[in-house]
Amino acid sequence: MRKRTLFRLGMGTVAAGAATLAYASLVERNLFTLRRFDVPVLPADTEPLRVLHLSDLHMMPEQRRKQDWVASLAALDPDLVVVTGDNMAHPGAVPGVLRALAPLLDFPGAFVFGSNDYTGPVLKNPFSYFLPDREYSEGAELPYDELRDVFTGAGWADLNNARTTLKAGGRLIELVGVDDPHIARDDYPSVAGPVPAAAELSIALSHSPEPAVLDQMAADGFELLLAGHTHGGQVCVPGFGALVTNCGLPRSMAKGLHRWPASDAWLHVSAGLGTHPTAPVRFACRPEASILTLIPR
């Protein structure tokens, strides 16, 4: 009797595990979700400004459902579009990325790249993400210059270790960004400096939300910090949250809107829209884009 009970428990556990894996790989990773946040960073008595934040598409050529969903976000009519990297997951992904983003290129925009804009993913042990000093492995080179040329040709600001101002929503916005700190391509000192008084809004971008970089951006007076990279943990435990962030950020800040410590800045971390192609699962962490409505303080 006891053996039969243990057998049934074992089979039940296996069945539950298989059902969870099927849900995570076939259902939840395709449940694209729009998050909405109000961010109090504007001066008093000013009209709201809407920022669409996209990250971590990790696009494969055949992912038409994702491409269609992202393209549909143009109907939100954002004042500014911000993309924080890891757009590609395949050498042939550029047409798919552009099919997704083409309707958004008509809006003012800015971008930084992530590691998976430069090189493709490689097969890895998912448990290696729990190792802080794991060695980074590069895959095939990706056509990042082709993607960059399309973005900049549409008038989007390339903020990979760069700084600029642009007009969006009738406001003069100071923008700064770094190339991906996760692979040591960042060089914030080359673009550092206080936000000028003439700026009506200031936004800083980084693919990986590394605290050392975010601290410098906040110290310079940037009011809104935008990043991706974490996938929100990608596989989360209900009631507990992300197991890992794959960066220096604490698990409690793996996604969503947070006040950056010891500063007046706000940090928004996007859980992103894709997955590593060798681990195409999401659990308790839907793929997402965010519309950030900037409002008076």
Side-chain angles (χ1 to χ4, degrees):
M1 186 63 145
R2 186 180 177 186
K3 288 183 178 179
R4 184 180 299 174
T5 300
L6 290 175
F7 176 77
R8 287 175 176 172
L9 285 173
M11 291 302 295
T13 300
V14 170
T20 299
L21 180 61
Y23 167 79
S25 61
L26 299 176
V27 180
E28 184 164 324
R29 76 181 180 96
N30 292 308
L31 293 179
F32 306 115
T33 301
L34 180 67
R35 307 291 185 195
R36 298 178 183 270
F37 299 92
D38 289 342
V39 191
V41 294
L42 296 181
D45 302 320
T46 56
E47 291 295 316
L49 185 144
R50 303 202 312 154
V51 177
L52 176 62
H53 182 193
L54 303 172
S55 197
D56 297 87
L57 274 70
H58 289 282
M59 192 68 73
M60 298 289 283
E62 73 280 2
Q63 291 178 324
R64 309 275 297 189
R65 182 186 303 178
K66 185 195 299 183
Q67 294 162 20
D68 290 341
W69 189 85
V70 173
S72 74
L73 297 175
L76 296 169
D77 195 27
D79 296 299
L80 177 68
V81 179
V82 171
V83 176
T84 50
D86 274 10
N87 296 282
M88 298 181 282
H90 186 279
V94 169
V97 174
L98 298 183
R99 184 171 181 270
L101 295 180
L104 295 167
L105 293 175
D106 293 333
F107 299 97
F111 68 95
V112 292
F113 282 156
S115 60
N116 285 145
D117 290 304
Y118 295 109
T119 58
V122 296
L123 183 65
K124 63 185 73 175
N125 181 349
F127 292 101
S128 68
Y129 286 103
F130 292 94
L131 304 175
D133 298 321
R134 66 185 177 87
E135 185 177 347
Y136 176 73
S137 300
E138 295 185 358
E141 183 172 310
L142 298 178
Y144 59 91
D145 277 333
E146 181 181 349
L147 191 62
R148 189 199 311 272
D149 288 346
V150 173
F151 286 172
T152 57
W156 280 15
D158 180 353
L159 295 178
N160 289 292
N161 298 323
R163 188 165 180 163
T164 192
T165 59
L166 61 75
K167 275 276 191 179
R171 256 63 64 92
L172 183 66
I173 304 175
E174 182 80 7
L175 290 162
V176 74
V178 293
D179 209 339
D180 191 2
H182 185 63
I183 52 174
R185 293 181 68 106
D186 58 304
D187 184 13
Y188 187 72
S190 69
V191 293
V195 173
E200 298 170 84
L201 173 66
S202 56
I203 301 176
L205 281 61
S206 175
H207 174 66
S208 179
E210 295 298 343
V213 174
L214 300 180
D215 280 340
Q216 295 175 77
M217 292 171 163
D220 276 342
F222 284 90
E223 301 156 289
L224 179 58
L225 316 176
L226 301 179
H229 177 70
T230 66
H231 295 192
Q234 190 166 319
V235 175
C236 298
V237 176
F240 181 79
L243 299 176
V244 66
T245 64
N246 195 27
C247 65
L249 210 62
R251 291 186 302 101
S252 61
M253 300 176 78
K255 63 181 177 179
L257 184 67
H258 310 275
R259 203 65 189 261
W260 188 246
S263 77
D264 294 327
W266 290 90
L267 168 68
H268 179 258
V269 180
S270 173
L273 283 158
T275 65
H276 193 289
T278 64
V281 297
R282 278 185 179 258
F283 186 76
C285 186
R286 289 186 178 188
E288 66 177 42
S290 296
I291 192 80
L292 309 175
T293 301
L294 311 189
I295 59 174
R297 302 181 191 89

